[in-house]
Amino acid sequence: MKILVVGGGGREHAICWKLSQEKQVEKIYCAPGNAGIESVAECVDIKDTEIEKLADFAYEHNIDLTVVGPEVPLVMGISDEFSKRGLRVFGPDKSCSRLEGSKLFSKEFMVRHGIPTAKYKEYTDIDKAIEEIDRFGYPVVIKADGLAAGKGVVIPTNREDAIDTLNMIMRDKKFGDSGNLVVVEEYLTGIETSILAFVDKNTIVPMESAKDHKKVFEKETGPNTGGMGTFSPSTIYSRELAEKVYNEVLIKSLEGFQKDGLEFRGILFVGLMITENGEKVLEYNCRFGDPETQSVLLRLETDLSEIMMAITEDRLSEVEIKYSQDAAACVVLASGGYPEDYEKGKVITGLNDVDDSIVIFHSGTKKSDENIVTNGGRVLGVCSKGATVELAAKNVYANIGKINFEGMHFRKDIGIDYE
């Protein structure tokens, strides 16, 4: 098989890394890729949003399967364009991708199909939103409706901050048109976790669980990021909880797709809050999570290409999916200042000095002369397996000291669940 992976972050590096180990995969291209992906795939200078160019490339190079990593091309309709040209693509179509592209669409879907979630109200009028902002109490959750690179959710703790947030999103347009509509939700307390699932038209199969640390600082403090690290399995994701989530969330989601005429094929990512009143869905994503993927794919033993091909042919139920019994941990090394302003172009050293048990996935890197330099907010994901989450994380932290770049920031508590 010849495979094209669309994207250039840590998630795409993990996908390429996994595919590169599979016997039936002959050649991997990645567009645009990054400095780390170059070691397992041929990088192609096409942006992930240049859908026509990507489709042209897939056609001209006889690509057997295109795997779409990021959400933006999915929401733009990349799968529709590829399918229209008779090209096999892994990732939901534009209609299904609204589950991630619009917070309101996903909330309405959940309510319509009896999927547990937080109470909410949507607003397009900022004055109306300010007038009613106290209705859910504080803290309160304010979400820009559209895509915002994982940063469109703000949790103000008082009225003044809530009004500032509404102004930032709706008046100042910090997230552009994504802030034309906001969803205001009740704040849920509990333990946050997430589950990824493989989905085709008839079947939904959960992957092993993972926990994502979203806050930039230790003990879940500071602003939200795209993710500062993950571990798998989630320590709270018991067999009993997994069964409840499967029946109350995953199966209801699949049945909802079928009832609404949504032919979902790809990955469904479900962000969950485990509350005193049961599990509640925080969000849907329509692709592999980042950096959850880095932990989960370290543990996946079945060929990813086999699973993906089966999904495109609606025969997921025929594939037996196996995982390592080992746990996995991934710690993100970020640029100083992330998730706000940060500098790029810092030389990274020590990448070849880590132990053989360590896998490094590049998120925001590029080649500059003979050096690999920083090129994003999240720069590297340093990962390891171990008999337990604690041992996997311990191994990662023992090796992080060998890697350095100016301003490097990372959390020192990845692997701990804070209640």
Side-chain angles (χ1 to χ4, degrees), residues 164-316:
D164 287 346
T165 298
L166 289 169
N167 279 315
M168 173 191 74
I169 295 174
M170 301 184 80
R171 280 209 173 99
D172 302 340
K173 300 292 184 187
K174 180 171 182 180
F175 307 117
D177 290 343
S178 292
N180 290 344
L181 183 149
V182 297
V183 173
V184 179
E185 291 184 2
E186 66 171 328
Y187 177 75
L188 298 175
T189 57
I191 300 175
E192 192 171 343
T193 191
S194 53
I195 196 75
L196 291 155
F198 294 112
V199 189
D200 71 8
K201 194 176 172 182
N202 311 304
T203 309
I204 188 163
V205 180
M207 299 182 209
E208 285 291 302
S209 63
K211 159 77 178 178
D212 179 17
H213 294 272
K214 281 283 187 192
K215 300 289 188 177
V216 72
F217 301 124
E218 281 83 13
K219 296 186 178 179
E220 311 304 340
T221 58
N224 271 341
T225 70
M228 291 299 293
T230 55
F231 59 90
S232 174
S234 171
T235 48
I236 62 155
Y237 212 76
S238 63
R239 186 172 295 181
E240 180 186 9
L241 179 58
E243 193 173 320
K244 282 184 69 179
V245 170
Y246 182 74
N247 291 320
E248 295 299 315
V249 177
L250 298 184
I251 287 296
K252 284 186 177 180
S253 298
L254 179 64
E255 291 172 350
F257 300 154
Q258 294 166 342
K259 288 173 184 173
D260 290 356
L262 298 171
E263 294 190 0
F264 196 108
R265 295 181 184 89
I267 304 293
L268 183 68
F269 171 112
V270 185
L272 295 164
M273 182 69 79
I274 311 306
T275 75
E276 289 181 350
N277 301 315
E279 67 288 343
K280 301 283 182 79
V281 177
L282 298 173
E283 64 175 352
Y284 283 126
N285 292 332
C286 297
R287 36 72 191 180
F288 275 114
D290 188 344
E292 291 90 348
T293 304
Q294 289 86 312
S295 291
V296 173
L297 289 191
L298 271 183
R299 300 182 61 207
L300 179 65
E301 293 182 340
T302 306
D303 281 0
L304 183 59
S305 56
E306 179 189 355
I307 300 168
M308 289 176 164
M309 289 295 283
I311 287 172
T312 65
E313 297 168 0
D314 291 322
R315 51 178 185 82
L316 174 60

Side-chain angles (χ1 to χ4, degrees), residues 134-153:
D134 295 332
R135 67 183 292 168
F136 289 124
Y138 298 96
V140 65
V141 181
I142 301 176
K143 299 179 176 180
D145 179 58
L147 297 178
K151 302 180 188 70
V153 179

Side-chain angles (χ1 to χ4, degrees), residues 353-369:
D353 298 335
V354 298
D355 296 345
D356 291 342
S357 58
I358 295 293
V359 181
I360 299 176
F361 294 123
H362 291 230
S363 297
T365 65
K366 69 175 183 179
K367 285 271 183 71
S368 178
D369 298 324

